Structure formats: C-alpha cells, structure tokens
Amino acid sequence: MRTIHASTTASDTAERSRQGPGRDLLPLLAGTATVVAVVGALLALADVDSPLRGPFTLFFLLAAPSAAIATALRGLEPFGRVLASAAGAVALNMLVAQGMLAVHRWSVAGGVVTVAALSLLILLPAAVRRRRTTDTPTA
C-alpha cells in the first residue's frame, strides 16, 4: 500500500509562518486608521470644538487621497507606491487649498468635502477596473 503525502505549497508555508500574536495586526491597524479618518472628517464637518479635531482631520486629509492613489497604482512596487501616494496626497491637498483661496471660498468643511470627493473620483476607476477583472469568466 502506498501513502500519499499532501504537498505543501508556498502559500501554506507562508500561512504557517504567520501564526502568532501579530498575525492579525494589519487588518486591525487598517480598521483603526479608517475609524480615525472618518471621525476626523465628521468632527470637521460638524464643527465640533475638540482637541482631537485637528489631528484627526489632518489624518483624514492625508489618508483619504493617499489610499485612493495607492489603490490606483497597484502595479508599482510597495515602496514606490507609498512614496507616490503620499506625494499625490500632499499635492491634492495643496491644489484644493490653492483653488479655494483663489476663488475666496475658504472653509474647513468645504476642503474636507472636496478632498473626499476627489479621493472617491480617483478611487472609482480603480474599483471598477478591479471589479471588471474579477467578474470576467476564465476559460
């Protein structure tokens, strides 16, 4: 009688090596960052007088466009994607601020809404492209 052993693949080996207390840390950090960004946007839009309003709103203004640009740049290596998305987020925020100042319509709430809308516009084509590739049947 012959015994058949299950072969181990690279993904099985990687999964076994990731076991431990820090294995689920990345999704937890991503969820925490999302909550902080949303709370920052809500604090700015509601004009709440809180010491957390400034840092949380700044985090939203940097994280929302950065995440959208990073999603759109999936083909780059991780370091290049982080660098390009951070630079793009800073550039987008500066362009929004400059545009609002140029037309004399500066407001914190307007800036937050504009940055959120532009981030969604950047994210939308990447999400549609990703959905289209996952819905395509393979032969």
Side-chain angles (χ1 to χ4, degrees):
M1 183 166 207
R2 194 166 144 196
T3 305
I4 299 174
H5 295 285
S7 64
T8 60
T9 61
S11 63
D12 291 339
T13 307
E15 185 64 33
R16 285 188 195 136
S17 66
R18 287 183 33 170
Q19 292 177 354
R23 186 179 86 170
D24 295 330
L25 191 59
L26 190 60
L28 178 67
L29 290 175
T32 304
T34 303
V35 168
V36 168
V38 169
V39 167
L42 291 176
L43 287 174
L45 291 174
D47 201 21
V48 175
D49 193 23
S50 168
L52 296 177
R53 178 182 171 196
F56 282 16
T57 303
L58 180 63
F59 183 77
F60 170 78
L61 290 174
L62 291 174
S66 182
I69 293 170
T71 302
L73 298 176
R74 283 233 181 248
L76 291 179
E77 293 181 14
F79 180 71
R81 188 167 43 171
V82 167
L83 194 63
S85 65
V90 170
L92 180 78
N93 284 312
M94 288 186 349
L95 286 172
V96 167
Q98 184 177 1
M100 291 176 71
L101 288 172
V103 297
H104 304 288
R105 297 287 182 214
W106 173 256
S107 72
V108 175
V112 168
V113 169
T114 305
V115 167
L118 290 174
S119 297
L120 285 175
L121 286 175
I122 293 169
L123 184 64
L124 189 63
V128 168
R129 182 174 54 241
R130 188 173 184 185
R131 181 176 169 97
R132 191 177 304 155
T133 58
T134 58
D135 288 345
T136 306
T138 56

